[in-house]
Amino acid sequence: MQKKAIILLANGFEEAEALVPFDFLKRAGIDVKLVAVQDVADKAQVIDQGFIVSGSHGLKVLVKECLMCVKAEEFDAVIIPGGLRGANNISESKLATERILNQKNSNKTVAAICASPVVVLDKAGYFNTNSEVGVCYPNMDNGKPYLSGKNGTKGVCVSNNLITSRGPSCAEDFAFAIIEKLVGKEIANEVKDDTIYVNKDR
């Protein structure tokens, strides 16, 4: 059965952290969707074709669906880009928080990068069970060992069903970790070859 993933987008998202995983997961044969988080004050622009979500560097992305339009049980992974404004918007969404914690409680994959492990996951109480650790953007961990940069390798940490990463330049390795988790190392390696990945470690 084809694996499915959603990438949560809110105004202020970090473009590389959303679009590199989107591209690479598509190449891996994963059914991945960009979805707008709209139950917040800082909403994406609504147009006839869907929603226009603005990235942290001015890129505007057309997203055809919003989070409230998709069923939680349909997805094997929920992916949360960083960008401080975007992460703050997602953290203010009751629906996004509910979906993320439902993923955790259902033993499904959650992946967050940059500011989102702190601003979204930690704020939502994701780490309260002390069963997962992660990484985040440097100096945002506030001395919390479960978000220390010492966790993981190459800026990515895989802990049970949680995948976290440190920032935009880690977006490739973040994407490959998600692919490997969902469909296996062999397919991840095929995408590495197809995309001329230069940091191979196999």
Side-chain angles (χ1 to χ4, degrees):
M1 184 178 295
Q2 186 180 29
K3 295 292 185 179
K4 297 182 178 182
I6 53 173
I7 300 176
L8 305 183
L9 285 194
N11 284 334
F13 72 93
E14 173 59 55
E15 290 91 339
E17 296 166 0
L19 301 182
V20 170
F22 179 83
D23 181 301
F24 285 13
L25 267 65
K26 282 282 190 182
R27 293 171 188 264
I30 297 165
D31 180 3
V32 56
K33 293 182 178 181
L34 299 169
V35 297
V37 176
Q38 286 292 86
D39 60 327
V40 293
D42 186 7
K43 290 178 172 59
Q45 179 186 355
V46 180
I47 61 172
D48 289 342
Q49 299 93 330
F51 309 89
I52 300 292
V53 190
S54 298
S56 59
H57 297 95
L59 181 69
K60 295 184 184 297
V61 176
L62 171 62
V63 177
K64 294 185 178 180
E65 295 183 83
C66 66
L67 184 58
M68 65 185 68
C69 304
V70 296
K71 296 179 180 179
E73 61 271 17
E74 291 181 351
F75 298 97
D76 301 288
V78 170
I79 301 165
I80 313 157
L84 189 56
R85 177 184 168 199
N88 277 320
N89 280 328
I90 291 172
S91 75
E92 292 174 5
S93 165
K94 291 182 180 179
L95 181 57
T97 299
E98 179 184 293
R99 294 289 180 91
I100 291 162
L101 294 179
N102 181 66
Q103 284 286 114
K104 175 182 171 67
N105 294 333
S106 300
N107 296 313
K108 292 184 176 181
T109 300
V110 172
I113 184 170
C114 196
S116 288
V118 176
V119 176
V120 179
L121 300 188
D122 199 26
K123 183 178 176 182
Y126 194 98
F127 298 98
N128 287 355
T129 60
N130 298 317
S131 57
E132 290 90 12
V133 297
V135 293
C136 62
Y137 192 79
N139 302 319
M140 289 191 74
D141 61 4
N142 296 318
K144 297 172 181 177
Y146 56 83
L147 283 171
S148 170
K150 296 178 182 178
N151 299 329
T153 58
K154 296 172 71 174
V156 177
C157 179
V158 179
S159 179
N160 298 327
N161 293 310
L162 175 66
I163 300 168
T164 52
S165 189
R166 302 194 75 190
S169 68
C170 304
E172 288 183 334
D173 291 303
F174 179 62
F176 289 131
I178 299 168
I179 293 168
E180 186 169 334
K181 183 75 172 177
L182 294 182
V183 294
K185 189 170 185 177
E186 182 177 348
I187 293 177
N189 284 340
E190 289 176 2
V191 178
K192 287 180 181 181
D193 289 339
D194 289 344
T195 56
I196 322 299
Y197 181 64
V198 297
N199 295 315
K200 294 177 183 177
D201 181 19
R202 17 170 163 153

